[in-house]
Amino acid sequence: MSIISNFLEMVAAYRTFNTINDPNQYPIAFYSEMASDRLYFQGIIYELLKKIKISILYLTSDHTDFFLKNPPLGVKSIYAGKGFIRNLIFREIKISVFVMTLSDLNNFELKRSVFSVHYVYIFHSLVSTHMVYRHKAFNSYDSLFIVGPHHEKEIRESEALYNLEAKHLVQCGYPRLDNLLSDNEIILSKEQKIKPLILIAPTWGENSISNICIQNILDNTLTGQYQVIYRPHPMTIRDNKKILNDVIKKFSKHPDFYLETNIGNVKSLYQADIMISDWSGVALEYALVTEKPVIFINVPPKINNKKFSDFVAIPVEISFRKKLGFILDIDELNSLPEKILTASTHLIDIAHAIKKLKEDYIYNIGTSEQVGATNLIAILKKK
C-alpha cells in the first residue's frame, strides 16, 4: 500500500471512528495491536455478546486481523493503524470500558483518553509481571484480569514498594489456556506422526535463542530421529527477517525441518513431544496444556524491568523451570540429543508436577472467559 493510500485509509478510519465514538452506542471497546492479540480475549467477546445486548467496538492495527473483515454480529471493527491517527483515537476515545493486552499504556506514544474511560488489561502470557514487563507497565490500567495468585502477589508488592493506588484485580484465569485445553483432545485424536516431534518456540529479542543459537540447536536436533518445527516469535518475524532467511537458506531442504510462522495454528503445540524454548511464555502454555516436558536453553533472562531487584517475589518463569522439564546451558548444546532422551524418560514425573502447578497457579480453568465477561459487565454497570 502506498503512503498516500495508507494516509487516505487512516483519514477515513478516523472519520468513521468519530461517528461511533459514543459510549451509549458502544459501551465496551477492545484493541489488538497484532492479529494474534485477539486470541487472548476473543472468547470473552463472544461471552459478552451472549450475556447482554450491547454493541462492541473493535480496534485493530493489523490488516490481517480476521475480525477486521469478519467481525461477529454485534461487533464493529475499525482499522486504527499504527501512527498519528491511532494515537489520536486513543486520546479521544469516549467508550466507557477499554480492554486490551497492551502493556505500557501511557508510557510511550499510546496514552489514556482525555475522557473518563476505565482501562482493563487482559494478560497475554502466564509469566510474572515484574521481570519481563517494564517498570510501570500496568500503572495506567484501572483493572487487571490476573491469571493466578502469582500476579496478585506481584502487583500488590509493586503497589507497596512504590506507594501506588490499589488496582482492581479480577481473578480471571487465562482464556488462552482454556482454549488450548479444550482443543487439545480433538487435535490429538487425529494425531499421526512418523517420528517424534520437537517444537522450537523461542521468545523474541536480543537474548532469545533465535538471536543467539538457533542454527546450533537445529544442527543438534535434525539428526534423522525427529521431526523439528521452528516457530519463531511474531516479533522476530516482523523485526528480524535476516534470522529467518538464514535459517531457511540452511535448513529448508532438510526433510525433517518445518518452519511455522502462524502462531494461530496450534496443531504443532499439541502434537510436539518436547518443546525447546528459552524465557518464552509459550513454554508455560505448552507444558500446562500438554503436560509434556520443556528443555529450557539457559540464555540470559529477559529482564525488562530495571527495578526487578526491588522485588521479593520470584517470577514463575524462573521457579517453574525445573518442574516443567530440564535446563541446558548454551555451551552444552552439543549434548542436546542426550537431554532430549533424558526428558523422554521422565514423562510421568513431569506430568504429575505440571498437574500440581495448574491447580496452584491458574484461576478458573475452563471458565475464565465466562468469568472475564461477567466482570466486564460488572465494571460497565459501575461506570
Side-chain angles (χ1 to χ4, degrees), residues 126 201 269 275-290 292-296 324 354:
L126 295 160
L269 203 66
M275 176 180 281
I276 297 174
S277 190
D278 38 34
W279 295 95
S280 175
V282 76
L284 307 186
E285 293 177 10
Y286 166 79
L288 293 177
V289 169
T290 67
K292 296 175 184 176
V294 180
I295 295 175
F296 295 95
L324 301 180
I354 292 171

Side-chain angles (χ1 to χ4, degrees), residues 133-161:
Y133 295 99
R134 296 180 183 89
H135 180 55
K136 300 182 180 179
F138 308 104
N139 285 13
S140 292
Y141 280 93
D142 302 294
S143 295
L144 305 178
F145 281 30
I146 57 177
V147 170
H150 59 296
H151 282 167
E152 184 162 2
K153 180 180 179 181
E154 296 152 9
I155 293 297
R156 294 305 185 212
E157 184 178 0
S158 176
E159 291 167 351
L161 278 170

Side-chain angles (χ1 to χ4, degrees), residues 221-279:
T221 51
L222 289 167
T223 60
Q225 295 176 271
Y226 310 103
Q227 292 178 299
V228 179
I229 295 177
Y230 172 45
R231 192 173 191 250
H233 193 282
M235 297 294 282
T236 300
I237 296 170
R238 189 187 75 177
D239 298 339
N240 203 332
K241 291 182 172 57
K242 185 180 185 305
I243 288 174
L244 262 64
N245 290 337
D246 289 346
V247 166
I248 291 169
K249 183 178 179 180
K250 183 173 180 181
F251 298 101
S252 62
K253 293 183 180 179
H254 195 291
D256 291 328
F257 172 77
Y258 303 88
L259 176 67
E260 185 171 273
T261 58
N262 177 16
I263 68 166
N265 178 12
V266 296
K267 184 176 180 180
S268 63
L269 203 66
Y270 301 127
Q271 293 188 328
D273 296 284
I274 290 174
M275 176 180 281
I276 297 174
S277 190
D278 38 34
W279 295 95

Side-chain angles (χ1 to χ4, degrees), residues 5 30 40 71 199 220 276 280 294 329 380:
S5 297
F30 287 78
Y40 299 93
L199 178 61
N220 281 286
I276 297 174
S280 175
V294 180
D329 288 335
L380 184 61

Side-chain angles (χ1 to χ4, degrees), residues 143-369:
S143 295
L144 305 178
F145 281 30
I146 57 177
V147 170
H150 59 296
H151 282 167
E152 184 162 2
K153 180 180 179 181
E154 296 152 9
I155 293 297
R156 294 305 185 212
E157 184 178 0
S158 176
E159 291 167 351
L161 278 170
Y162 308 119
N163 195 29
L164 303 174
E165 185 176 345
K167 291 267 184 290
H168 175 225
L169 301 184
V170 173
Q171 295 181 358
C172 180
Y174 194 45
R176 175 64 169 163
L177 181 66
D178 286 346
N179 290 332
L180 293 172
L181 285 167
S182 65
D183 290 343
N184 189 26
E185 291 183 7
I186 298 172
I187 298 289
L188 290 181
S189 67
K190 302 175 182 178
E191 182 177 17
Q192 291 182 344
K193 291 185 296 186
I194 299 172
K195 299 177 182 179
L197 176 61
I198 295 173
L199 178 61
I200 304 171
T203 186
W204 64 282
E206 181 181 356
N207 290 334
S208 74
I209 57 178
S210 287
N211 282 54
I212 294 176
C213 55
I214 183 58
Q215 293 199 25
N216 198 340
I217 291 172
L218 288 168
D219 282 333
N220 281 286
T221 51
L222 289 167
T223 60
Q225 295 176 271
Y226 310 103
Q227 292 178 299
V228 179
I229 295 177
Y230 172 45
R231 192 173 191 250
H233 193 282
M235 297 294 282
T236 300
I237 296 170
R238 189 187 75 177
D239 298 339
N240 203 332
K241 291 182 172 57
K242 185 180 185 305
I243 288 174
L244 262 64
N245 290 337
D246 289 346
V247 166
I248 291 169
K249 183 178 179 180
K250 183 173 180 181
F251 298 101
S252 62
K253 293 183 180 179
H254 195 291
D256 291 328
F257 172 77
Y258 303 88
L259 176 67
E260 185 171 273
T261 58
N262 177 16
I263 68 166
N265 178 12
V266 296
K267 184 176 180 180
S268 63
L269 203 66
Y270 301 127
Q271 293 188 328
D273 296 284
I274 290 174
M275 176 180 281
I276 297 174
S277 190
D278 38 34
W279 295 95
S280 175
V282 76
L284 307 186
E285 293 177 10
Y286 166 79
L288 293 177
V289 169
T290 67
E291 298 178 0
K292 296 175 184 176
V294 180
I295 295 175
F296 295 95
I297 307 301
N298 205 23
V299 294
K302 183 189 270 189
I303 302 177
N304 291 323
N305 184 358
K306 295 179 180 179
K307 294 183 177 290
F308 169 63
S309 60
D310 293 350
F311 287 80
V312 172
I314 299 173
V316 293
E317 53 267 42
I318 293 176
S319 62
F320 278 16
R321 282 184 140 205
K322 290 184 178 179
K323 297 175 183 179
L324 301 180
F326 299 88
I327 301 170
L328 187 67
D329 288 335
I330 302 175
D331 58 4
E332 297 177 330
L333 286 179
N334 288 341
S335 65
L336 185 54
E338 290 81 6
K339 190 65 72 174
I340 292 170
L341 185 60
T342 300
S344 301
T345 61
H346 287 78
L347 298 180
I348 295 175
D349 291 340
I350 290 170
H352 179 76
I354 292 171
K355 282 186 175 76
K356 185 70 167 60
L357 287 177
K358 274 194 284 194
E359 293 170 1
D360 293 344
Y361 282 89
I362 310 296
Y363 294 133
N364 303 310
I365 292 178
T367 61
S368 62
E369 293 174 347

